[in-house]
Amino acid sequence: MFLNVHSAYSLKYGTMDIPTIVSNARALGIHQMVLTDINNSTGAIEFIRECFKQGIAKEPDEIQAGNIPYYLKPIAGIEFRKDGQLLYFGIAKSKEGMRELNEFLSIHNIEDQALPNDAPAFENVFIIYPFIKNFNRKLKPNEFVGIKSSQLNFLYKHPLLHQKDKLVIWHPVTVGSRVEHRLHEYLRAIEINTLLSMVPDDCKCNLDEVLISEEVLKSKFETFPFIIENTQKLMDACDLSVYFEPQVKSKNRFAYTKNGEEFDRILLRRIAYKGLAYRYGNDNPVARARLEKELKIIEFKNYCAYFLITFDIVRYAMGRCNFYHVGRGSGANSIVAYCLRITDVDPIDLDLYFERFLHEKRTSPPDFDIDFAWDERETIQRYIFKKYPKWHVAFLGTMSTFKDRAIIREIGKVLGLPKEEIDSFTDPTKERENQQNATYRKVVAVHQHMRNMPNQRSIHAGGILISDEPITYYTALDLPPKGFVTVQWDMYEAEAIGYEKFDVLSQRGIGHIREAVQLIRQNQNKEIDIHDFKNFKNDPKLNAILREGQPVGCFYIESPAMRQLLKKLKCEDYLTLVAASSIIRPGVASSGMMKSFIERYHAPDKVVYLCKEMEEQLKETYGVMVYQEDVIKVCHYFAGLDLADADVLRKAMSGKYRSKLAFEELVNKFFHSARLQGHSKELITEVWRQISSFAGYSFSKAHSASFAVESYQSLYLKTYYPKEFMVAVLNNYGGFYSRWVYVHELQKTGAKVHLPCVNHSDEVVNIKGNEAYLGFVGVQGLEHKFIAQIPLERRRNGPFKDLEQFVKRTNITLEQAILLIRLGALRFTGKDKKTLLWEIYNYLGYKQKRIDAAELFSLESKEYSLPKLENSALEDAYVELELLGYPLNFNMFDFLKTSYRGDVMAAELNQNIGKTVRIVGNYVCEKTVRTIKNTKMWFGTFLDANGDFFDTTHFPNTTPVYPFKGKGCYLILGKIVEDFGCPSIEVIKFAKLDIHINPVAGD
């Protein structure tokens, strides 16, 4: 009887989630219901699945058998609105009906067309128009009119009585209760950006839009039994039970070949064995056995096409585009992926378990994470969308909620609170004070009710779905600003339906590597095989940089925390770097894993293992379960679980398993199986304690290994080709640190770094021999058209000869020309900045409109004799600070009024452990953390006057509320301490030092 039910997926309108709707319907004994969210079908499949999950929807043949005492039949559709006004809603008769509705909405979303006032001709959809008093629409066979019980009086002598079979019950459902209607009003106020008291009635639902029992609803129409009968017939004609599958089946059966799945199987084997010879040679029985084992599981799980499609993407990137990629994540556990060159991580070398990626008991789809350079990813995405048919490929969506405390500001606005009061509500430092405020408590209470509700749809970072059947059977599609069609649900719903996603991602680190290789080719005429990882990892020079903790610019290992960890571990090999890449992650340090690992790493002989099995499996990590694979190994070799069950248990302990009962069964199985291995109850309990405490923090070893491979590639380039590498880092917009840090690193390589010059600079930094010129991209305030136009004009027509020619050839504006002159970008003229600033007004200082046409004759300009105009280095430094964000040719320490540079330098800290010293540092960055007592403390990073890094720790009891005051040099008083050979300074006092004032500040 309920043809028009809204869930919370009717964004900022409905208030109930899908499970609540189903459980409420069950409590009221409702037998049929249609979910019709506004302009989306996000919850349609979830609704159907939830009805079966709660055990109140059955297959049609079971219902017809007559032995089902109660069931709820799920039906789905879409409500169509334009400018907030209801046009009609569609109800799918079948799966084909859902496709029709989704494609109709998708076309209008993609083409940005307004929805038509009249529904199109659907073949498998019922259309319901809302009843109005002057209804005179000619109805198609599949079209009906929904009438509310409150509108029945209007039927008297109404023309629709001549079409009695077209009238159906219309009782919209939007909120869970009349009390919940208030929450609906808050949502509507936020949506239309108005005060709560000013929400128009036609923008919100009626108070009675709640679920009621079918008996009560029918009683409202008892004088019009034919309306009840029409409604029942309509709902009986709908059947969407095809969407219910007892076991999730893969939807990615899109065969890679035209000959179907069997040929896919043959092709995958052929390519994999060819790759086996490339990776391992022709005589490696261990690799061959591992490959055969994986292929059998892949074939059993019907994932041949998934591997082949990923292989196709990688082959296109490497072959047609000559792009560099990194295959990471659990997919690197697969030797098949290694042989297909999806990843460069050798799973045999690292003892990686394929079961971490895929096994016969896995119910959720696996996925590959493929990284490309930040500016190349879109090319790959467009290839995928072009290769597969319309409606068969789409981006994965995401669904944000109201969890962000910023929504407190929105709630305050709709309540009409003053800005000052709202600001105080969002200030964490006033939390205790706010708790005493009744208005604040009210705002927080409203936020608590809506915090888990969906807020808006967006696009996944890189997940792409490729489907064997049109995706529109399962969702309508949006077209976000990126220009790729996107499904209306997120990765969790995709997984529940059975879709494997293809993660095509991007990162700056790959851009560094790619461009560095290109620059080395151009600047030094050398070809670099950046994939020669086996030699990189054994290079003593690279490992020396790791041990010293100086890999600034190198992917994943340049942050202060990582540099310190590398020093503490004295890391000088690949396996240690893999471990470091895992234990550096958030949560590990607080759990004690990091400290335990470092202690045991330096004293392996003192490690006490619980038993022989634990020593055999965890010797590489000194008894600490660093990786997710370690959890699998212990469950398998200690407790005797098969590898599939071991991975299921690992996943469950990481919080990704939804069935509590199934999890408890696995835990019992662990204890029972471990006892069968002959272990004591006490030993099993302790092993389980360690597993359960580590599992939530552990990281995929394959993921860490992928990061470590890329780190070594960056290290190789920085070690042997530092100039080109640092230019590449700058041109791909750096990494962890501010841009000036990388310019500083480039200068340390011995390169001569020049300010931008119109006759030498390009859009980005360039390097020729030892000469590097900063690009125009980094100049603050320079318009994009001139950033591109100036180097383009120079390349086309040669260098600029003088200021006049530069002005005429570029059509530059006065403001933009002044900016370039101030920065020294026209120094090629041989004239000082102030002379050029005087002269630029001869060309651009007039008000009349310039004629942009080629000159027939070039007339010489009059020469003027100017007095000598002074320009100081300090003045230039301030200009560079303003326009670049840092001074290039003026050390930050030279700004200081004092010449004092500290008692010690960074390089001398190890020789002064335990001493309290003063040191002067140029601020690089800071990190704020909270202690166990919820007080703030800070970690700082500085450069000394010699350009060397040092780190500081600022404890709450010795530090003001906010100790740092931005860029500049600080005088630091502190005690030098060391942790595993890594020195740092525990700050007692520090303050920002005074600087010389800009000489032209008063002009």
Side-chain angles (χ1 to χ4, degrees):
M1 295 292 111
F2 298 90
L3 302 178
N4 187 204
V5 178
H6 302 114
S7 76
Y9 291 124
S10 290
L11 302 178
K12 300 185 185 75
Y13 195 87
T15 61
M16 295 182 289
D17 60 23
I18 299 293
T20 299
I21 290 173
V22 175
S23 60
N24 287 356
R26 182 175 192 171
L28 290 165
I30 295 169
H31 289 83
Q32 292 178 313
M33 179 186 291
V34 187
L35 184 74
T36 53
D37 278 315
I38 300 170
N39 293 342
N40 78 85
S41 57
T42 305
I45 309 304
E46 180 186 348
F47 172 62
I48 296 168
R49 186 174 60 252
E50 186 66 27
C51 286
F52 285 94
K53 180 181 176 182
Q54 292 198 21
I56 54 177
K58 304 295 178 184
E59 299 288 358
D61 55 346
E62 293 183 79
I63 296 170
Q64 291 169 7
N67 56 357
I68 305 297
Y70 169 69
Y71 66 91
L72 171 61
K73 177 181 176 181
I75 308 170
I78 299 175
E79 179 180 306
F80 297 97
R81 293 196 177 205
K82 181 167 65 175
D83 298 327
Q85 299 303 308
L86 173 63
L87 300 175
Y88 38 82
F89 52 95
I91 299 172
K93 298 180 188 178
S94 60
K95 187 176 181 180
E96 287 299 324
M98 280 305 302
R99 182 186 60 79
E100 288 183 67
L101 285 169
N102 285 329
E103 289 183 6
F104 168 65
L105 179 59
S106 298
I107 289 170
H108 288 84
N109 287 344
I110 293 167
E111 297 179 1
D112 195 23
Q113 296 178 353
L115 290 165
N117 293 331
D118 297 330
F122 291 111
E123 294 183 9
N124 301 282
V125 172
F126 292 122
I127 291 294
I128 315 296
Y129 288 99
F131 175 86
I132 54 177
K133 284 188 278 188
N134 58 346
F135 192 94
N136 58 3
R137 184 186 301 275
K138 185 177 180 181
L139 297 171
K140 303 182 184 81
N142 67 318
E143 294 181 337
F144 296 82
V145 176
I147 186 167
K148 298 179 180 179
S149 59
S150 59
Q151 298 171 325
L152 290 174
N153 290 337
F154 298 121
L155 279 180
Y156 179 69
K157 292 185 178 182
H158 198 284
L160 276 173
L161 287 176
H162 299 297
Q163 302 181 70
K164 289 185 176 182
D165 59 336
K166 291 296 186 179
L167 286 167
V168 293
I169 296 173
W170 181 32
H171 179 83
V173 176
T174 302
V175 297
S177 65
R178 285 175 173 255
V179 173
E180 205 169 271
H181 187 269
R182 191 61 169 170
L183 177 60
H184 165 79
E185 290 181 315
Y186 274 98
L187 294 170
R188 300 308 296 143
I190 292 171
E191 169 69 6
I192 62 178
N193 193 26
T194 190
L195 294 175
L196 186 64
S197 58
M198 300 293 288
V199 179
D201 288 341
D202 62 354
C203 286
K204 56 187 179 183
C205 74
N206 294 329
L207 281 167
D208 63 354
E209 291 190 19
V210 298
L211 280 174
I212 56 179
S213 70
E214 288 180 342
E215 289 72 20
V216 172
L217 182 57
K218 288 179 181 179
S219 69
K220 294 176 181 289
F221 289 84
E222 60 185 358
T223 56
F224 296 88
F226 64 89
I227 298 180
I228 299 174
E229 184 180 346
N230 294 340
T231 309
Q232 191 65 55
K233 284 181 179 179
L234 185 151
M235 300 185 83
D236 289 344
C238 300
D239 180 10
L240 297 180
S241 60
V242 68
Y243 282 107
F244 173 66
E245 298 174 274
Q247 294 182 341
V248 176
K249 297 179 181 178
S250 171
K251 298 295 184 296
N252 292 64
R253 300 294 179 78
F254 202 109
Y256 178 73
T257 66
K258 294 180 180 180
N259 300 319
E261 291 184 10
E262 179 58 25
F263 199 80
D264 280 1
R265 186 186 68 80
I266 296 170
L267 181 61
L268 178 61
R269 282 182 162 273
R270 183 186 304 162
I271 298 172
Y273 271 98
K274 183 178 179 180
L276 183 72
Y278 167 76
R279 293 292 198 184
Y280 296 100
N282 293 316
D283 187 23
N284 191 320
V286 174
R288 181 175 292 271
R290 168 75 178 257
L291 183 70
E292 191 59 39
K293 170 193 167 184
E294 288 191 15
L295 285 170
K296 287 179 179 177
I297 295 176
I298 292 167
E299 291 163 3
F300 173 74
K301 297 292 288 185
N302 292 317
Y303 284 123
C304 291
Y306 183 71
F307 275 80
L308 288 169
I309 292 170
T310 309
F311 166 75
D312 177 72
I313 294 169
V314 168
R315 181 178 61 173
Y316 173 79
M318 295 174 65
R320 293 282 297 277
C321 303
N322 197 28
F323 289 171
Y324 173 53
H325 75 278
V326 170
R328 58 179 175 82
S330 60
N333 289 62
S334 168
I335 194 173
V336 175
Y338 184 55
C339 291
L340 267 56
R341 301 190 70 176
I342 294 170
T343 173
D344 282 328
V345 175
D346 184 344
I348 293 179
D349 183 41
L350 289 175
D351 191 26
L352 301 177
Y353 291 160
F354 179 62
E355 286 75 10
R356 171 62 185 85
F357 178 65
L358 183 63
H359 52 77
E360 61 273 12
K361 296 180 182 178
R362 178 164 179 157
T363 56
S364 60
D367 62 358
F368 286 112
D369 295 336
I370 311 295
D371 285 336
F372 294 94
W374 61 275
D375 56 349
E376 294 175 344
R377 176 173 67 161
E378 188 172 324
T379 301
I380 303 301
Q381 292 168 338
R382 294 202 178 280
Y383 167 73
I384 296 170
F385 274 78
K386 186 177 179 180
K387 183 179 180 68
Y388 297 98
K390 183 180 181 181
W391 307 131
H392 289 260
V393 58
F395 256 102
L396 192 59
T398 59
M399 188 70 70
S400 65
T401 66
F402 290 101
K403 281 184 180 179
D404 192 339
R405 281 181 60 88
I407 197 62
I408 288 179
R409 182 174 295 278
E410 297 299 316
I411 298 169
K413 284 166 61 179
V414 303
L415 287 173
L417 302 179
K419 182 179 183 300
E420 295 75 16
E421 188 172 9
I422 295 173
D423 289 341
S424 71
F425 287 173
T426 55
D427 184 350
T429 64
K430 297 183 179 180
E431 182 75 29
R432 185 174 299 178
E433 176 186 335
N434 287 332
Q435 291 297 336
Q436 311 303 317
N437 187 314
T439 304
Y440 173 78
R441 293 198 301 271
K442 177 181 179 180
V443 170
V444 170
V446 174
H447 180 234
Q448 285 300 315
H449 280 93
M450 66 171 62
R451 66 189 311 269
N452 292 320
M453 294 174 62
N455 181 11
Q456 62 182 9
R457 297 191 302 273
S458 186
I459 186 171
H460 189 272
I464 296 175
L465 305 180
I466 303 173
S467 179
D468 63 326
E469 58 184 345
I471 295 176
T472 45
Y473 278 120
Y474 301 90
T475 175
L477 302 174
D478 293 327
L479 189 70
K482 284 193 174 184
F484 293 103
V485 295
T486 304
V487 299
Q488 292 188 329
W489 27 249
D490 59 19
M491 60 183 290
Y492 301 105
E493 181 63 14
E495 180 179 308
I497 293 172
Y499 279 109
E500 305 99 36
K501 62 181 168 62
F502 298 82
D503 274 334
V504 179
L505 305 166
S506 67
Q507 48 153 292
R508 300 285 177 182
I510 293 178
H512 301 168
I513 293 170
R514 174 207 61 194
E515 185 161 346
V517 172
Q518 294 171 350
L519 288 171
I520 293 164
R521 184 186 304 120
Q522 296 165 9
N523 200 41
Q524 300 200 32
N525 197 28
K526 290 184 179 180
E527 291 292 336
I528 303 298
D529 181 7
I530 201 61
H531 299 285
D532 188 18
F533 168 68
K534 290 183 179 179
N535 286 326
F536 295 168
K537 71 177 182 178
N538 296 317
D539 190 317
K541 289 186 178 180
L542 273 60
N543 289 323
I545 292 178
L546 274 181
R547 184 174 59 251
E548 294 164 7
Q550 296 298 328
V552 176
C554 296
F555 172 76
Y556 202 73
I557 55 175
E558 65 167 336
S559 70
M562 192 64 173
R563 290 190 298 101
Q564 290 177 46
L565 177 59
L566 294 174
K567 285 183 181 179
K568 292 175 183 178
L569 290 172
K570 294 181 173 57
C571 176
E572 55 184 357
D573 61 77
Y574 173 56
L575 287 179
T576 304
L577 181 58
V578 173
S581 299
S582 182
I583 62 176
I584 194 65
R585 298 184 74 246
V588 177
S590 59
S591 72
M593 279 175 56
M594 180 187 288
K595 185 177 181 181
S596 295
F597 182 86
I598 298 172
E599 289 173 344
R600 297 180 183 198
Y601 177 84
H602 288 294
D605 296 337
K606 296 181 181 179
V607 177
V608 178
Y609 296 93
L610 291 175
C611 60
K612 181 181 178 182
E613 290 87 352
M614 294 289 280
E615 181 176 7
E616 290 174 350
Q617 301 309 317
L618 299 179
K619 194 166 186 177
E620 179 187 322
T621 53
Y622 314 102
V624 178
M625 280 175 260
V626 171
Y627 311 113
Q628 293 171 351
E629 288 82 354
D630 292 337
V631 176
I632 296 172
K633 285 195 293 185
V634 171
C635 290
H636 177 61
Y637 290 101
F638 171 81
L641 298 180
D642 63 43
L643 290 171
D645 277 342
D647 183 62
V648 172
L649 188 57
R650 186 272 316 162
K651 186 175 182 181
M653 286 187 289
S654 67
K656 297 180 179 179
Y657 208 65
R658 299 181 180 180
S659 172
K660 184 178 180 180
L661 181 61
F663 175 60
E664 291 175 351
E665 290 177 357
L666 279 170
V667 174
N668 293 333
K669 188 173 183 179
F670 173 89
F671 277 87
H672 177 71
S673 181
R675 288 301 297 270
L676 294 178
Q677 305 302 310
H679 301 305
S680 68
K681 183 178 179 181
E682 292 76 14
L683 176 60
I684 297 169
T685 302
E686 175 57 23
V687 170
W688 175 254
R689 185 196 67 78
Q690 292 192 13
I691 291 175
S692 56
S693 63
F694 290 146
Y697 298 115
S698 59
F699 194 42
S700 168
K701 187 177 183 181
H703 212 122
S704 293
S706 301
F707 284 162
V709 168
E710 191 174 342
S711 298
Y712 262 99
Q713 290 170 326
S714 294
L715 269 172
Y716 171 80
L717 293 168
K718 181 175 183 183
T719 303
Y720 291 100
Y721 306 96
K723 299 181 182 68
E724 290 82 3
F725 177 74
M726 292 314 305
V727 169
V729 171
L730 283 164
N731 288 346
N732 287 272
Y733 307 103
F736 183 87
Y737 300 102
S738 298
R739 188 172 180 82
W740 72 266
V741 177
Y742 299 111
V743 173
H744 171 73
E745 286 291 312
L746 176 58
Q747 290 173 318
K748 283 173 65 177
T749 68
K752 175 61 178 174
V753 184
H754 300 276
L755 288 165
C757 173
V758 297
N759 267 347
H760 292 92
S761 292
D762 297 318
E763 294 92 327
V764 294
V765 183
N766 64 39
I767 185 167
K768 294 177 182 177
N770 202 46
E771 306 291 317
Y773 280 84
L774 297 179
F776 293 117
V777 166
V779 180
Q780 297 176 31
L782 186 60
E783 295 175 8
H784 180 74
K785 67 177 180 179
F786 293 115
I787 290 174
Q789 183 181 336
I790 292 170
L792 178 62
E793 168 62 25
R794 187 186 71 238
R795 287 191 287 268
R796 284 177 174 173
N797 299 307
F800 303 103
K801 294 181 180 179
D802 52 36
L803 175 61
E804 180 181 9
Q805 193 190 73
F806 173 75
V807 170
K808 291 178 179 179
R809 285 169 59 181
T810 61
N811 289 325
I812 198 164
T813 64
L814 177 63
E815 293 78 9
Q816 294 286 286
I818 290 173
L819 186 151
L820 289 171
I821 291 170
R822 291 180 64 217
L823 191 57
L826 281 94
R827 59 189 179 275
F828 77 92
T829 61
K831 299 178 179 179
D832 63 76
K833 294 180 183 180
K834 292 183 178 177
T835 300
L836 288 170
L837 287 171
W838 181 278
E839 290 185 355
I840 194 65
Y841 280 90
N842 287 334
Y843 306 109
L844 300 175
Y846 40 76
K847 295 183 179 180
Q848 64 266 33
K849 185 176 181 182
R850 295 182 60 214
I851 300 174
D852 294 327
E855 293 181 329
L856 292 175
F857 303 99
S858 179
L859 301 177
E860 291 187 8
S861 300
K862 293 181 180 180
E863 294 288 338
Y864 297 91
S865 178
L866 295 173
K868 185 176 178 64
L869 302 171
E870 296 295 332
N871 200 76
S872 69
L874 182 61
E875 182 181 340
D876 287 342
Y878 267 103
V879 171
E880 292 168 22
L881 196 62
E882 174 193 347
L883 299 180
L884 293 178
Y886 54 90
L888 179 66
N889 299 312
F890 198 84
N891 195 303
M892 285 296 293
F893 290 90
D894 294 334
F895 279 98
L896 299 178
K897 290 183 177 180
T898 177
S899 61
Y900 180 69
R901 297 295 179 262
D903 300 336
V904 296
M905 305 304 284
E908 302 168 334
L909 294 182
N910 268 325
Q911 290 80 50
N912 292 277
I913 302 298
K915 295 182 180 178
T916 298
V917 298
R918 292 190 301 170
I919 186 170
V920 178
N922 181 15
Y923 170 85
V924 175
C925 62
E926 69 191 80
K927 180 181 179 181
T928 306
V929 297
R930 287 198 172 269
T931 66
I932 297 175
K933 296 180 179 179
N934 202 33
T935 56
K936 284 184 179 180
M937 66 177 293
W938 294 264
F939 296 101
T941 299
F942 297 84
L943 285 171
D944 69 5
N946 293 333
D948 295 324
F949 284 97
F950 67 91
D951 300 293
T952 58
T953 304
H954 307 248
F955 291 108
N957 59 337
T958 60
T959 309
V961 175
Y962 191 79
F964 296 95
K965 296 181 180 179
K967 293 179 181 179
C969 294
Y970 291 76
L971 175 60
I972 302 165
L973 174 68
K975 181 180 179 182
I976 302 174
V977 298
E978 64 93 21
D979 188 21
F980 297 104
C982 178
S984 63
I985 298 175
E986 290 184 354
V987 176
I988 299 171
K989 293 180 181 179
F990 87 135
K992 197 172 181 179
L993 293 171
D994 291 335
I995 59 175
H996 292 291
I997 301 300
N998 187 347
V1000 297
D1003 292 356

